[in-house]
Amino acid sequence: PEQVQTGTMRVHLNVQNTAAGKANISGALGWAAFDYNTTFVTPPSCVDFTCYHGVSDIFRIPKIAAAAFASQRDPSLYGPYVSIASQWTPGVSSGTVLVGGNCQQVELFANGASRGRINPNAFTNLPHPMFQFTGLTVTSGQLRAECWIGGQIVATDTRSTPGAATRLALVADDSAIRADGADMTRVVVKALDNNNQVVPIN
């Protein structure tokens, strides 16, 4: 569920932010990169012999928490990045929305109305702190985040309220493989709605 994913993101952010704020700590590991099978079944993050506190799921598909780490990349080396940590679903999503980005400022729009352009204001010890917007009323529609660097919009991210699945998409990691009996690739099957978003299970 979304609340679990955003909670996992905040756990990772808390650890990284605390470590970044201490001069005697050179870095911190994020446990865990991926969901994994286990014999440990203690709730809340481990259920039915699988632990779900990874940044990516057991199939290596990034979850909401992945934005916490992707947003720390240097924009001059890896390009600008912005990601909304919400699925924007009434009755599920929080009215406090975190946006990750290696931006100087982020402007957030809810159903076309600006909720302001702000400087980073959360987890401020990080190289690229997060942008936290509060007091939003979650209604069906769309969130859009604009990443500003040097007075220009350099990246955007859009989240629409998930709809019903309307089609399946098959995406392979590789466009070709060698027929040598050993080469292989992964094919991910995605259930997509009319906005080409993966339909979540809440």
Side-chain angles (χ1 to χ4, degrees):
E2 180 179 343
Q3 299 96 325
V4 174
Q5 290 198 43
T6 54
T8 297
M9 180 182 197
R10 287 183 178 274
V11 168
H12 281 279
L13 285 166
N14 279 327
V15 171
Q16 298 300 321
N17 188 65
T18 300
K22 294 183 180 293
N24 61 335
I25 296 179
S26 61
L29 296 175
W31 183 269
F34 309 106
D35 294 346
Y36 56 92
N37 295 126
T38 183
T39 56
F40 183 67
V41 293
T42 302
S45 60
C46 299
V47 181
D48 295 331
F49 303 102
T50 303
C51 285
Y52 293 97
H53 46 254
V55 172
S56 296
D57 71 15
I58 204 165
F59 302 106
R60 302 331 193 229
I61 298 170
K63 300 193 298 188
I64 288 174
F69 293 94
S71 66
Q72 300 308 301
R73 296 177 295 192
D74 186 333
S76 67
L77 297 175
Y78 299 98
Y81 174 87
V82 65
S83 180
I84 301 168
S86 173
Q87 293 169 347
W88 201 238
T89 305
V92 176
S93 301
S94 169
T96 296
V97 174
L98 275 178
V99 178
N102 52 13
C103 320
Q104 293 171 342
Q105 293 181 314
V106 163
E107 186 168 8
L108 186 68
F109 296 83
N111 294 331
S114 175
R115 297 310 304 256
R117 191 198 310 179
I118 65 172
N119 296 321
N121 60 353
F123 305 99
T124 54
N125 292 328
L126 296 174
H128 298 286
M130 304 293 282
F131 301 83
Q132 182 167 276
F133 293 84
T134 59
L136 279 68
T137 301
V138 183
T139 58
S140 294
Q142 185 184 85
L143 286 179
R144 186 177 83 253
E146 296 178 344
C147 171
W148 289 74
I149 297 177
Q152 295 184 332
I153 299 169
V154 293
T156 62
D157 185 38
T158 302
R159 293 283 187 273
S160 298
T161 301
T166 57
R167 67 186 184 92
L168 295 176
L170 278 69
V171 181
D173 287 352
D174 302 285
S175 59
I177 58 175
R178 292 186 299 275
D180 61 0
D183 198 12
M184 63 180 179
T185 192
R186 176 184 67 164
V187 177
V188 176
V189 181
K190 300 179 179 181
L192 304 177
D193 65 13
N194 281 331
N195 293 307
N196 288 322
Q197 295 181 146
V198 174
V199 178
I201 298 175
N202 283 311

